[in-house]
Amino acid sequence: TGTVAAIVPVSSTTGAGLDDLRAAIRAAAATVPVRAADEPWRMPVDRVFSVAGAGTVVTGTAWTGVIARDASVRILPCDRTARVRSLESHGAAANEVGAGTRVAVALVGVDRDEVAHDAVLVRAGDPWEASRVLRADVALLPHAPAVGARRWLRFHLGTAEVGARVIAPGG
């Protein structure tokens, strides 16, 4: 029922097939729909560090929407507010970035130790809220081992990793 990826023979020693692989990746990428720019902006944070003269910098890949320099952002789940001092993508300064962009965001008004590496940046005023509960209906693949009720698992969403408990239907 899903899309089948191309199988492209490649040699890492000789480099044979690399042009075909690049072409297959370009063709696959061309089929991915562009996300709407009017969606609320959000970016899971995967790194946090300080840079002299810039202050606290967070990095991640923007999932949705567009953010611009000087915009106000909220840091979830702690619900702190900060201002975007500058944006950088792949080593180049940017005035705004959109969904799918790898970005470094320099923040004003928040210290490095106030932002966790698994936080999420959202544009202030957008309707995002932190949550401690998530419900997911899951179907296991036929060859997957059984997962019993009340079993603890690791759940990954964005850059966050948390414990999750399996609840059986009706339980």
Side-chain angles (χ1 to χ4, degrees):
T1 59
T3 304
V4 177
I7 297 174
V8 182
V10 175
S11 169
S12 61
T13 356
T14 68
L18 285 177
D19 288 338
D20 294 337
L21 177 61
R22 288 184 189 102
I25 291 171
R26 276 192 298 278
T31 67
V32 176
V34 175
R35 292 186 179 175
D38 62 348
E39 291 181 4
W41 184 78
R42 68 179 163 151
M43 182 191 84
V45 173
D46 57 33
R47 287 189 335 150
V48 182
F49 52 94
S50 296
V51 173
T56 301
V57 177
V58 298
T59 65
T61 301
W63 277 13
T64 57
V66 174
I67 194 74
R69 195 172 42 136
D70 293 324
S72 290
V73 293
R74 288 175 37 231
I75 303 155
L76 299 177
C78 67
D79 206 21
R80 288 290 316 267
T81 302
R83 181 178 60 81
V84 175
R85 174 178 300 199
S86 62
L87 299 165
E88 187 175 299
S89 181
H90 298 287
N95 287 324
E96 71 176 25
V97 295
T101 305
R102 184 78 188 149
V103 61
V105 183
L107 298 172
V108 175
V110 65
D111 290 331
R112 178 190 179 282
D113 59 351
E114 296 176 287
V115 183
H117 80 278
D118 59 355
V120 177
L121 251 61
V122 297
R123 186 175 42 223
D126 282 350
W128 299 110
E129 294 297 329
S131 175
R132 293 199 164 286
V133 177
L134 175 84
R135 176 192 165 160
D137 294 325
V138 178
L140 296 176
L141 296 173
H143 63 279
V147 178
R150 305 209 39 86
R151 175 156 182 206
W152 280 99
L153 303 172
R154 299 305 296 167
F155 179 75
H156 298 261
L157 177 62
T159 55
E161 176 186 350
V162 296
R165 184 174 300 261
V166 175
I167 305 295

